[in-house]
Amino acid sequence: MDLSALYELRERLRAAAIAGASLAAGDFRLSRALEGLAPLEKASPVFAKLGALTRSVLAPDCPDRAGALLDAITLCDSVLCTQGAVTAAGELSPLPGGKKGHACTNAPYSVVAPLIEALTTSGSGHYSLVQDTMSTNPGILGDYRVQEAMVKALGASYGELADNAGRWLAKEDESILPVLMGGFQPAGKKEMARRVQVVDLIAGGAANDWYLEQLPQSKKPVRPLLIYALRHRPENGELLLSLANSEKGDNKDAARWALARGDMPEAMPYWREQAEKNPTDTIRFFQDSCSTTAAVLTAELFQKELAACTAASGDLPGEKEFLLSFFFAALLGKTGEEICEFYRQAAALGTALDDRNVTEENEKKKTVVRPMTCWCSFEQNRQPFSITLVDVLTRSIQETADPMLCALAEELFEKHGGLWAAPCLCAALMTKGRQEAAAVGKRLLSPTLLQKLTGQKQQKLLLEMAFDRLTGAGQGLPDFQRPRGMAENRPAFQKINQDPVNIYAFFNDLCYYPIAAPLDPWWIELMIDHQMDQKLRTLADPSNPETCQKIAEYFHQRISFGAITMPLTAACDILIGCGWTNWKGLLSSYIKHSSKAASYWEIRSVLSRCPLSNTEKADELHSIWVHGKYSGWPEKSLEHQLEEWWKG
């Protein structure tokens, strides 16, 4: 349909409006444009309506010419709008791919725009804005505009923002990969290195071709992460061996970490050769690796080292103690027939190595002799060899709940008794129901049997080992239970450790593992008897009111008598998290009985978060102050706080 007459009519109507409605009746150009519309009036009623309105404008006796003119212009514009079309010359071709996500999310522009600015520019307050937005609206990362900004934030000058951007992106699915891979520069800096790590965490071996494509042009700090990402595919074994022999520094280490984490048969001879040259440097690459290669070699090399230690006469050099600790760290979390056989042989040694001494030079270059002790992780205290062996099996069961290790724990306890009850208890907690786990605990921890096997004092040690990193059933640690510095909890049986390669660590390696079922109250009573404050703290589960109430009552009593073995704020957080309501006089009693000096800021912090009215908080703080007059308390700050709460 030819609409040129309609466009001409709109032009003349607008001109009439500009000239003034009173002059429209004598406008011959408008009359001529109306004549051109006549064929269209016969084709459609809407065009006929438009023609009638225009004639009203031209009529000498029109009572409301301005209104008729406005109606005619409005209808003409509306008709033309419905007839609009957009075309372009040329052939049709598909739009380029690579952009995923939704163009719009539920977040308004007022939220999206500041977030994108904070992610892509530097400035004061940007970090807190990003943190707050992502915590209140995590779904906003589904917007492709935010995704692109988040990828750019991997190169943020503020390192914590860059690392958090990596954490958020790593939780996405494969749809984010085109954004991460688009515009990738293998010779780039930190942003590109973090991109590789996020791709590795999301795609794993599925992106192997991409890693290989980027590798030839890559430079530090990107290159070691690309090399490490090759661990997912066994067919990369020959290439990784070649890189382990030809590369240097971080690149060489990345190749060796990858060889230790992949199941690559060709790596066995390489590792045995390396172990002959430098066993300490070699075994460190097997830490936190669950590959068959790492398990077999750890068992083989550890057994060889144990044989050498037991065969040697006299005191052992300090280097041997250090090497055994490295082997324990590598043994942690591993399973398989070779690993189980190693445990059997090591357990058969009993306490033979506990009685050995080591010699080493102290800071003053004097030779000292002391009992040999071992450790399996840096946050743990040194212990005798036999206890460390039990501890490593127990923690391995916590991390894996592996059926083979659970069965091994039963076998070793039946044969050797004593502290081998700890991994049995842990296996029951990780795999059995509430009543079954309690039955195992009562069988292994009954006073008569325990006293006969280990002595009554060992009961607390058994509990501490069995519950080392366990928390309530089906939960991570709530905020009030979480130790300071712990970034995030891990779900059951999914240990995500700090990446060993280079400097970009998205995850904290401190992990807590949920037990299989809610704890029977018998366990809580036992821990209360032994005053295991730190462990009870991690078992306070608000979803289990019975357990939570019992733990809260215990901590209320401990705080009242000033007997807690943790900071006051941490103990009070447990009461707050469990919904405790009886706070009257609690802090006064703590100050009265505790041997530690309480600071004003500590008391105020607890009062500000506990479920009391402002008046009650002020009365409690005032009561503490007038009865004590504690030295060092800032009187002006205290008076200001009291006034604020009393007003409030």
Side-chain angles (χ1 to χ4, degrees), residues 56-73:
S56 297
V57 174
L58 293 169
D61 57 348
C62 180
D64 184 11
R65 200 179 309 278
L69 179 59
L70 182 60
D71 289 342
I73 293 174

Side-chain angles (χ1 to χ4, degrees), residues 166-207:
R167 289 186 180 94
W168 292 319
L169 289 167
K171 294 177 183 177
E172 297 296 298
D173 57 22
E174 291 80 1
S175 65
I176 194 68
L177 293 178
V179 185
L180 289 163
M181 295 177 177
F184 182 79
Q185 300 171 13
K189 301 299 181 182
K190 289 184 178 180
E191 176 189 343
M192 300 301 155
R194 287 189 173 94
R195 284 202 200 189
V196 175
Q197 196 169 26
V198 177
V199 171
D200 186 355
L201 289 168
I202 295 174

Side-chain angles (χ1 to χ4, degrees), residues 34 360 401:
L34 180 60
E360 61 182 4

